[in-house]
Amino acid sequence: MSHVTRQISRRSMLKAAGATAGAVGIGTAVTPAPAVAAGGYAHPGLLHTRADLDRMAAKVKAGAEPYTAGFARLTANGRSHSGWTPRPAATVYRGAGTPQNYAALFKDIHAAYQNALRWHVSGDSAHAETAVKILNAWSATLTSLQGSADRFLAAGLYGYQFANAAELVRDRDDFELERFRKMLLDVFHPLSEDFLANHNGAVVSNYWTNWDLCNMACVLATGIFCDDQAKVERAVEYFKHGEGLGAIKNAIPVVHDDGLAEWVEAGRDQGHALMGVGLMATFCEMAWNQGIDLYGYDDNRFLKSAQFVAKWAMGGDVPFTANTRAKGAVNGWSGSETVTSAAPVDPAMQRPIWAMIANHYTKRRGLDASYVTRIAAQAAPEGGGGDYGPDSGGYDQLGFGTLAFTRDRATGAGGTGGSPSPAASGSASAAAGTGSDARPQTGTGAGAGAFPSASASAAATGDLAATGSNDILGWTAATGITALAGGLLLLRRRDRLRRESQ
């Protein structure tokens, strides 16, 4: 088969990247709605809802596995102890050429998150007090993030993580909620927004996928935590149609005939590819908990790429499309980098990212995710910050997914397989009025292993999960050549491999 190379303009690609609602899976039971702030979003409602926290506590109390194994990983982590002492600083530096002190920040954030999570599971208030002490100390002290371009990584990663830690204690009287909000809005969010808008003065594809994704996560988490609809909408729109490599069709530019979809950073290295998949899952989970289904966006595009990365990371052969990425500064130096194959992998490398993904697609949605499920089992029970290395890379994920995201398979309301309508999208007016779960609800669909198409109701509900569709659509193939919007990422279909369905 001959190869064709074609450059697609940013305008054309964005037009072709229209929103598609998520596919429907096995019916999801309706659960009580999380508390909803007046005029805002469901709280707790970032990575964990009230139902999630209650489930963890009940399962651990009952001695159920794998929750107890997951909780044991949490209690064994040195940052989950109630004796942790914070080390706040007024200015945090990250990047070469600066007096780097950011390790104190990310370690304190993980200590706050882990203590808060441990409190919710065990009921021991000493851990809540420690989490609050850490968060209050930083909000009273931190005024600036500085450094090289790495300061944008600090804003993105630590902004979304900070928000998640604070979300777990936001209702406590001893937590300085308004001061913490101000810190997110004044210190973290501006850098993240500036990066998404300007990419540090570079061409849009200069920075790899992780840079966009962590800053997208910060904007989304800040918007939810601060009940700021504009920020939430900004983050979701960027996920769908952004110009940088974090937008879903730039991060996942090609869907192959075998149903696997390339993660563009697989051509870079394994560690960053795993980090990116974990960040996109985090983004999708936070959105889901506000009723926005990005997991299912564009016919489950993220699942297809998670399957690709999982298979590749376990040492399996995967198709790969050669691509060239433009680099350089706007109106300055320019260059390019071409990647022709997926990077080598170490099948023993693990990151705590898979339980969240596997449980969403197989338990909430009833879809097949064979490679993701297998690698999640290998990684279980998942640990957290510091369990995967002593440096910053070991703290890129909050972790503890075995404890936090293991869930029972969803069933239709009343066990009948009914098709409840999608719940409100996370706005207070809609969610509070019905008492329904603010997260997307799905109806009866095809059995596990199939990928149903979006139904007409999907178009009517926008981001919310489609309901009532029994139309089965197998893995779909990408046709033609995809180019990165604004970044001149030229993708050439080198191989079109047809493989038997997994």
mmCIF file of all heavy atoms in Angstrom, residues 379-428:
data_model
loop_
_atom_site.group_PDB
_atom_site.id
_atom_site.type_symbol
_atom_site.label_atom_id
_atom_site.label_comp_id
_atom_site.label_asym_id
_atom_site.label_seq_id
_atom_site.Cartn_x
_atom_site.Cartn_y
_atom_site.Cartn_z
ATOM 1 N N ALA A 379 0.102 -4.134 38.790
ATOM 2 C CA ALA A 379 0.500 -2.986 39.613
ATOM 3 C C ALA A 379 -0.118 -3.003 41.003
ATOM 4 O O ALA A 379 0.304 -2.254 41.885
ATOM 5 C CB ALA A 379 0.115 -1.685 38.910
ATOM 6 N N ALA A 380 -1.124 -3.810 41.218
ATOM 7 C CA ALA A 380 -1.857 -3.809 42.493
ATOM 8 C C ALA A 380 -1.085 -4.534 43.594
ATOM 9 O O ALA A 380 -0.359 -5.482 43.328
ATOM 10 C CB ALA A 380 -3.222 -4.466 42.296
ATOM 11 N N PRO A 381 -1.263 -4.074 44.851
ATOM 12 C CA PRO A 381 -1.993 -2.862 45.246
ATOM 13 C C PRO A 381 -1.136 -1.626 45.009
ATOM 14 O O PRO A 381 0.042 -1.604 45.319
ATOM 15 C CB PRO A 381 -2.250 -3.083 46.747
ATOM 16 C CG PRO A 381 -1.092 -3.940 47.190
ATOM 17 C CD PRO A 381 -0.766 -4.831 46.025
ATOM 18 N N GLU A 382 -1.750 -0.592 44.464
ATOM 19 C CA GLU A 382 -1.009 0.603 44.096
ATOM 20 C C GLU A 382 -0.638 1.431 45.321
ATOM 21 O O GLU A 382 -1.438 1.623 46.228
ATOM 22 C CB GLU A 382 -1.844 1.460 43.141
ATOM 23 C CG GLU A 382 -2.020 0.828 41.776
ATOM 24 C CD GLU A 382 -2.851 1.658 40.827
ATOM 25 O OE1 GLU A 382 -3.370 2.715 41.253
ATOM 26 O OE2 GLU A 382 -2.978 1.269 39.644
ATOM 27 N N GLY A 383 0.601 1.932 45.301
ATOM 28 C CA GLY A 383 1.055 2.845 46.333
ATOM 29 C C GLY A 383 0.851 4.282 45.903
ATOM 30 O O GLY A 383 0.008 4.580 45.058
ATOM 31 N N GLY A 384 1.645 5.181 46.491
ATOM 32 C CA GLY A 384 1.497 6.597 46.187
ATOM 33 C C GLY A 384 2.817 7.312 46.149
ATOM 34 O O GLY A 384 3.862 6.718 45.857
ATOM 35 N N GLY A 385 2.800 8.603 46.474
ATOM 36 C CA GLY A 385 3.986 9.438 46.385
ATOM 37 C C GLY A 385 5.164 8.887 47.168
ATOM 38 O O GLY A 385 5.065 8.586 48.346
ATOM 39 N N GLY A 386 6.304 8.768 46.487
ATOM 40 C CA GLY A 386 7.510 8.247 47.112
ATOM 41 C C GLY A 386 7.681 6.753 46.971
ATOM 42 O O GLY A 386 8.789 6.235 47.174
ATOM 43 N N ASP A 387 6.615 6.037 46.602
ATOM 44 C CA ASP A 387 6.715 4.589 46.434
ATOM 45 C C ASP A 387 7.288 4.210 45.081
ATOM 46 O O ASP A 387 7.605 3.037 44.851
ATOM 47 C CB ASP A 387 5.336 3.937 46.589
ATOM 48 C CG ASP A 387 4.817 3.984 48.010
ATOM 49 O OD1 ASP A 387 5.636 4.026 48.946
ATOM 50 O OD2 ASP A 387 3.580 3.988 48.189
ATOM 51 N N TYR A 388 7.410 5.167 44.169
ATOM 52 C CA TYR A 388 7.862 4.887 42.816
ATOM 53 C C TYR A 388 9.105 5.700 42.459
ATOM 54 O O TYR A 388 9.358 5.978 41.294
ATOM 55 C CB TYR A 388 6.719 5.157 41.823
ATOM 56 C CG TYR A 388 5.525 4.281 42.107
ATOM 57 C CD1 TYR A 388 4.544 4.687 43.012
ATOM 58 C CD2 TYR A 388 5.398 3.028 41.519
ATOM 59 C CE1 TYR A 388 3.459 3.873 43.311
ATOM 60 C CE2 TYR A 388 4.318 2.206 41.816
ATOM 61 C CZ TYR A 388 3.359 2.633 42.709
ATOM 62 O OH TYR A 388 2.290 1.819 43.016
ATOM 63 N N GLY A 389 9.863 6.082 43.476
ATOM 64 C CA GLY A 389 11.086 6.833 43.279
ATOM 65 C C GLY A 389 11.149 8.033 44.200
ATOM 66 O O GLY A 389 10.112 8.615 44.530
ATOM 67 N N PRO A 390 12.361 8.414 44.616
ATOM 68 C CA PRO A 390 12.507 9.497 45.596
ATOM 69 C C PRO A 390 12.445 10.898 45.006
ATOM 70 O O PRO A 390 12.294 11.872 45.738
ATOM 71 C CB PRO A 390 13.895 9.230 46.180
ATOM 72 C CG PRO A 390 14.657 8.614 45.035
ATOM 73 C CD PRO A 390 13.653 7.776 44.290
ATOM 74 N N ASP A 391 12.566 11.024 43.691
ATOM 75 C CA ASP A 391 12.590 12.330 43.059
ATOM 76 C C ASP A 391 11.186 12.731 42.610
ATOM 77 O O ASP A 391 10.216 12.023 42.856
ATOM 78 C CB ASP A 391 13.566 12.316 41.885
ATOM 79 C CG ASP A 391 14.993 11.984 42.319
ATOM 80 O OD1 ASP A 391 15.398 12.448 43.415
ATOM 81 O OD2 ASP A 391 15.689 11.258 41.587
ATOM 82 N N SER A 392 11.100 13.843 41.909
ATOM 83 C CA SER A 392 9.786 14.385 41.563
ATOM 84 C C SER A 392 8.940 13.405 40.765
ATOM 85 O O SER A 392 7.717 13.359 40.922
ATOM 86 C CB SER A 392 9.942 15.693 40.794
ATOM 87 O OG SER A 392 10.683 15.496 39.593
ATOM 88 N N GLY A 393 9.571 12.597 39.892
ATOM 89 C CA GLY A 393 8.812 11.646 39.099
ATOM 90 C C GLY A 393 8.057 10.634 39.934
ATOM 91 O O GLY A 393 7.027 10.106 39.498
ATOM 92 N N GLY A 394 8.545 10.368 41.134
ATOM 93 C CA GLY A 394 7.865 9.441 42.015
ATOM 94 C C GLY A 394 6.656 10.046 42.708
ATOM 95 O O GLY A 394 5.960 9.347 43.465
ATOM 96 N N TYR A 395 6.407 11.321 42.440
ATOM 97 C CA TYR A 395 5.282 12.034 43.064
ATOM 98 C C TYR A 395 4.337 12.640 42.018
ATOM 99 O O TYR A 395 3.522 13.479 42.348
ATOM 100 C CB TYR A 395 5.809 13.150 43.961
ATOM 101 C CG TYR A 395 6.561 12.659 45.171
ATOM 102 C CD1 TYR A 395 7.900 12.292 45.072
ATOM 103 C CD2 TYR A 395 5.947 12.565 46.420
ATOM 104 C CE1 TYR A 395 8.611 11.842 46.189
ATOM 105 C CE2 TYR A 395 6.640 12.116 47.540
ATOM 106 C CZ TYR A 395 7.972 11.754 47.411
ATOM 107 O OH TYR A 395 8.667 11.309 48.513
ATOM 108 N N ASP A 396 4.455 12.186 40.771
ATOM 109 C CA ASP A 396 3.623 12.758 39.719
ATOM 110 C C ASP A 396 2.163 12.338 39.825
ATOM 111 O O ASP A 396 1.287 13.006 39.285
ATOM 112 C CB ASP A 396 4.165 12.359 38.342
ATOM 113 C CG ASP A 396 5.426 13.114 37.974
ATOM 114 O OD1 ASP A 396 5.666 14.193 38.554
ATOM 115 O OD2 ASP A 396 6.176 12.625 37.108
ATOM 116 N N GLN A 397 1.897 11.206 40.480
ATOM 117 C CA GLN A 397 0.523 10.762 40.706
ATOM 118 C C GLN A 397 0.241 10.689 42.202
ATOM 119 O O GLN A 397 1.123 10.339 42.998
ATOM 120 C CB GLN A 397 0.283 9.374 40.089
ATOM 121 C CG GLN A 397 0.269 9.354 38.576
ATOM 122 C CD GLN A 397 1.656 9.220 37.982
ATOM 123 O OE1 GLN A 397 2.526 8.565 38.526
ATOM 124 N NE2 GLN A 397 1.868 9.843 36.826
ATOM 125 N N LEU A 398 -0.982 10.994 42.580
ATOM 126 C CA LEU A 398 -1.370 10.861 43.983
ATOM 127 C C LEU A 398 -1.474 9.399 44.383
ATOM 128 O O LEU A 398 -1.192 9.041 45.529
ATOM 129 C CB LEU A 398 -2.693 11.583 44.239
ATOM 130 C CG LEU A 398 -2.609 13.107 44.169
ATOM 131 C CD1 LEU A 398 -4.004 13.723 44.189
ATOM 132 C CD2 LEU A 398 -1.772 13.668 45.318
ATOM 133 N N GLY A 399 -1.878 8.532 43.462
ATOM 134 C CA GLY A 399 -1.805 7.098 43.672
ATOM 135 C C GLY A 399 -2.888 6.499 44.545
ATOM 136 O O GLY A 399 -3.969 7.053 44.721
ATOM 137 N N PHE A 400 -2.579 5.300 45.081
ATOM 138 C CA PHE A 400 -3.462 4.510 45.946
ATOM 139 C C PHE A 400 -4.773 4.153 45.247
ATOM 140 O O PHE A 400 -5.844 4.132 45.836
ATOM 141 C CB PHE A 400 -3.723 5.236 47.278
ATOM 142 C CG PHE A 400 -2.457 5.541 48.010
ATOM 143 C CD1 PHE A 400 -1.966 6.841 48.070
ATOM 144 C CD2 PHE A 400 -1.719 4.531 48.610
ATOM 145 C CE1 PHE A 400 -0.772 7.130 48.721
ATOM 146 C CE2 PHE A 400 -0.525 4.806 49.260
ATOM 147 C CZ PHE A 400 -0.049 6.103 49.321
ATOM 148 N N GLY A 401 -4.654 3.849 43.952
ATOM 149 C CA GLY A 401 -5.834 3.551 43.165
ATOM 150 C C GLY A 401 -6.543 2.273 43.551
ATOM 151 O O GLY A 401 -7.765 2.165 43.385
ATOM 152 N N THR A 402 -5.810 1.276 44.054
ATOM 153 C CA THR A 402 -6.461 0.033 44.473
ATOM 154 C C THR A 402 -7.461 0.307 45.579
ATOM 155 O O THR A 402 -8.585 -0.213 45.574
ATOM 156 C CB THR A 402 -5.415 -0.993 44.936
ATOM 157 O OG1 THR A 402 -4.464 -1.218 43.878
ATOM 158 C CG2 THR A 402 -6.075 -2.315 45.317
ATOM 159 N N LEU A 403 -7.071 1.125 46.527
ATOM 160 C CA LEU A 403 -7.972 1.522 47.605
ATOM 161 C C LEU A 403 -9.065 2.452 47.097
ATOM 162 O O LEU A 403 -10.250 2.263 47.392
ATOM 163 C CB LEU A 403 -7.179 2.232 48.707
ATOM 164 C CG LEU A 403 -7.985 2.956 49.796
ATOM 165 C CD1 LEU A 403 -8.781 1.959 50.628
ATOM 166 C CD2 LEU A 403 -7.052 3.804 50.674
ATOM 167 N N ALA A 404 -8.689 3.445 46.320
ATOM 168 C CA ALA A 404 -9.604 4.539 45.995
ATOM 169 C C ALA A 404 -10.573 4.226 44.865
ATOM 170 O O ALA A 404 -11.699 4.739 44.863
ATOM 171 C CB ALA A 404 -8.805 5.792 45.643
ATOM 172 N N PHE A 405 -10.162 3.409 43.889
ATOM 173 C CA PHE A 405 -10.969 3.277 42.681
ATOM 174 C C PHE A 405 -11.510 1.875 42.424
ATOM 175 O O PHE A 405 -12.291 1.704 41.481
ATOM 176 C CB PHE A 405 -10.172 3.768 41.469
ATOM 177 C CG PHE A 405 -9.716 5.190 41.608
ATOM 178 C CD1 PHE A 405 -8.372 5.493 41.796
ATOM 179 C CD2 PHE A 405 -10.628 6.219 41.601
ATOM 180 C CE1 PHE A 405 -7.948 6.800 41.951
ATOM 181 C CE2 PHE A 405 -10.218 7.544 41.759
ATOM 182 C CZ PHE A 405 -8.880 7.835 41.932
ATOM 183 N N THR A 406 -11.118 0.898 43.221
ATOM 184 C CA THR A 406 -11.733 -0.420 43.066
ATOM 185 C C THR A 406 -13.213 -0.296 43.399
ATOM 186 O O THR A 406 -13.590 0.281 44.419
ATOM 187 C CB THR A 406 -11.076 -1.452 43.992
ATOM 188 O OG1 THR A 406 -9.680 -1.554 43.666
ATOM 189 C CG2 THR A 406 -11.735 -2.814 43.830
ATOM 190 N N ARG A 407 -14.042 -0.814 42.543
ATOM 191 C CA ARG A 407 -15.477 -0.700 42.755
ATOM 192 C C ARG A 407 -16.166 -1.953 42.242
ATOM 193 O O ARG A 407 -15.626 -2.700 41.435
ATOM 194 C CB ARG A 407 -16.045 0.553 42.070
ATOM 195 C CG ARG A 407 -15.840 0.591 40.579
ATOM 196 C CD ARG A 407 -16.281 1.934 39.976
ATOM 197 N NE ARG A 407 -15.318 2.991 40.250
ATOM 198 C CZ ARG A 407 -15.568 4.052 41.030
ATOM 199 N NH1 ARG A 407 -16.746 4.201 41.602
ATOM 200 N NH2 ARG A 407 -14.646 4.971 41.215
ATOM 201 N N ASP A 408 -17.377 -2.195 42.725
ATOM 202 C CA ASP A 408 -18.171 -3.307 42.248
ATOM 203 C C ASP A 408 -18.712 -2.979 40.870
ATOM 204 O O ASP A 408 -18.913 -1.814 40.521
ATOM 205 C CB ASP A 408 -19.334 -3.597 43.203
ATOM 206 C CG ASP A 408 -18.856 -4.010 44.592
ATOM 207 O OD1 ASP A 408 -17.793 -4.664 44.673
ATOM 208 O OD2 ASP A 408 -19.538 -3.671 45.579
ATOM 209 N N ARG A 409 -18.974 -4.015 40.090
ATOM 210 C CA ARG A 409 -19.535 -3.788 38.765
ATOM 211 C C ARG A 409 -20.909 -3.148 38.893
ATOM 212 O O ARG A 409 -21.741 -3.581 39.679
ATOM 213 C CB ARG A 409 -19.652 -5.101 37.993
ATOM 214 C CG ARG A 409 -20.137 -4.905 36.549
ATOM 215 C CD ARG A 409 -20.153 -6.221 35.798
ATOM 216 N NE ARG A 409 -18.800 -6.729 35.612
ATOM 217 C CZ ARG A 409 -17.983 -6.354 34.621
ATOM 218 N NH1 ARG A 409 -18.396 -5.444 33.751
ATOM 219 N NH2 ARG A 409 -16.783 -6.867 34.502
ATOM 220 N N ALA A 410 -21.135 -2.101 38.110
ATOM 221 C CA ALA A 410 -22.405 -1.389 38.164
ATOM 222 C C ALA A 410 -23.503 -2.233 37.557
ATOM 223 O O ALA A 410 -23.287 -3.021 36.639
ATOM 224 C CB ALA A 410 -22.293 -0.068 37.410
ATOM 225 N N THR A 411 -24.715 -2.061 38.074
ATOM 226 C CA THR A 411 -25.889 -2.743 37.533
ATOM 227 C C THR A 411 -26.973 -1.721 37.281
ATOM 228 O O THR A 411 -26.926 -0.596 37.783
ATOM 229 C CB THR A 411 -26.419 -3.803 38.512
ATOM 230 O OG1 THR A 411 -26.741 -3.163 39.759
ATOM 231 C CG2 THR A 411 -25.373 -4.876 38.754
ATOM 232 N N GLY A 412 -27.976 -2.097 36.527
ATOM 233 C CA GLY A 412 -29.091 -1.195 36.273
ATOM 234 C C GLY A 412 -29.854 -0.931 37.547
ATOM 235 O O GLY A 412 -29.771 -1.660 38.529
ATOM 236 N N ALA A 413 -30.595 0.145 37.578
ATOM 237 C CA ALA A 413 -31.358 0.518 38.751
ATOM 238 C C ALA A 413 -32.251 -0.639 39.171
ATOM 239 O O ALA A 413 -32.995 -1.192 38.379
ATOM 240 C CB ALA A 413 -32.205 1.753 38.432
ATOM 241 N N GLY A 414 -32.113 -1.013 40.434
ATOM 242 C CA GLY A 414 -32.927 -2.078 40.959
ATOM 243 C C GLY A 414 -32.568 -3.438 40.412
ATOM 244 O O GLY A 414 -33.300 -4.400 40.564
ATOM 245 N N GLY A 415 -31.377 -3.515 39.750
ATOM 246 C CA GLY A 415 -30.957 -4.778 39.200
ATOM 247 C C GLY A 415 -31.705 -5.175 37.935
ATOM 248 O O GLY A 415 -31.600 -6.289 37.455
ATOM 249 N N THR A 416 -32.451 -4.276 37.365
ATOM 250 C CA THR A 416 -33.282 -4.611 36.210
ATOM 251 C C THR A 416 -32.634 -4.256 34.889
ATOM 252 O O THR A 416 -33.146 -4.586 33.837
ATOM 253 C CB THR A 416 -34.623 -3.871 36.303
ATOM 254 O OG1 THR A 416 -34.377 -2.457 36.238
ATOM 255 C CG2 THR A 416 -35.354 -4.206 37.576
ATOM 256 N N GLY A 417 -31.492 -3.584 34.979
ATOM 257 C CA GLY A 417 -30.856 -3.175 33.732
ATOM 258 C C GLY A 417 -31.550 -2.032 33.059
ATOM 259 O O GLY A 417 -31.490 -1.880 31.846
ATOM 260 N N GLY A 418 -32.239 -1.207 33.852
ATOM 261 C CA GLY A 418 -32.944 -0.064 33.280
ATOM 262 C C GLY A 418 -32.001 0.972 32.733
ATOM 263 O O GLY A 418 -30.805 0.867 32.845
ATOM 264 N N SER A 419 -32.557 2.002 32.120
ATOM 265 C CA SER A 419 -31.758 3.034 31.481
ATOM 266 C C SER A 419 -32.100 4.392 32.042
ATOM 267 O O SER A 419 -32.830 5.166 31.426
ATOM 268 C CB SER A 419 -31.979 3.010 29.964
ATOM 269 O OG SER A 419 -31.650 1.760 29.432
ATOM 270 N N PRO A 420 -31.629 4.706 33.255
ATOM 271 C CA PRO A 420 -31.917 6.028 33.807
ATOM 272 C C PRO A 420 -31.302 7.107 32.941
ATOM 273 O O PRO A 420 -30.275 6.907 32.323
ATOM 274 C CB PRO A 420 -31.243 5.989 35.189
ATOM 275 C CG PRO A 420 -30.164 4.956 35.048
ATOM 276 C CD PRO A 420 -30.724 3.928 34.103
ATOM 277 N N SER A 421 -31.952 8.244 32.897
ATOM 278 C CA SER A 421 -31.441 9.350 32.097
ATOM 279 C C SER A 421 -30.169 9.890 32.714
ATOM 280 O O SER A 421 -29.935 9.764 33.915
ATOM 281 C CB SER A 421 -32.491 10.465 32.026
ATOM 282 O OG SER A 421 -33.662 10.001 31.390
ATOM 283 N N PRO A 422 -29.305 10.485 31.895
ATOM 284 C CA PRO A 422 -28.105 11.099 32.449
ATOM 285 C C PRO A 422 -28.461 12.120 33.512
ATOM 286 O O PRO A 422 -29.446 12.846 33.382
ATOM 287 C CB PRO A 422 -27.455 11.764 31.230
ATOM 288 C CG PRO A 422 -27.980 11.001 30.060
ATOM 289 C CD PRO A 422 -29.380 10.609 30.451
ATOM 290 N N ALA A 423 -27.637 12.175 34.536
ATOM 291 C CA ALA A 423 -27.876 13.119 35.624
ATOM 292 C C ALA A 423 -27.419 14.502 35.213
ATOM 293 O O ALA A 423 -26.832 14.703 34.171
ATOM 294 C CB ALA A 423 -27.145 12.669 36.882
ATOM 295 N N ALA A 424 -27.668 15.457 36.097
ATOM 296 C CA ALA A 424 -27.262 16.839 35.841
ATOM 297 C C ALA A 424 -25.766 16.926 35.671
ATOM 298 O O ALA A 424 -25.011 16.136 36.180
ATOM 299 C CB ALA A 424 -27.716 17.725 36.993
ATOM 300 N N SER A 425 -25.327 17.942 34.974
ATOM 301 C CA SER A 425 -23.925 18.049 34.600
ATOM 302 C C SER A 425 -23.038 18.580 35.692
ATOM 303 O O SER A 425 -21.889 18.872 35.470
ATOM 304 C CB SER A 425 -23.797 18.970 33.381
ATOM 305 O OG SER A 425 -24.215 20.265 33.711
ATOM 306 N N GLY A 426 -23.520 18.685 36.876
ATOM 307 C CA GLY A 426 -22.691 19.165 37.959
ATOM 308 C C GLY A 426 -23.078 20.529 38.447
ATOM 309 O O GLY A 426 -22.521 21.034 39.404
ATOM 310 N N SER A 427 -24.010 21.188 37.812
ATOM 311 C CA SER A 427 -24.444 22.484 38.306
ATOM 312 C C SER A 427 -25.338 22.299 39.504
ATOM 313 O O SER A 427 -26.044 21.320 39.636
ATOM 314 C CB SER A 427 -25.209 23.233 37.206
ATOM 315 O OG SER A 427 -26.419 22.581 36.901
ATOM 316 N N ALA A 428 -25.287 23.227 40.390
ATOM 317 C CA ALA A 428 -26.065 23.102 41.616
ATOM 318 C C ALA A 428 -27.551 23.055 41.319
ATOM 319 O O ALA A 428 -28.290 22.279 41.911
ATOM 320 C CB ALA A 428 -25.755 24.279 42.535
#
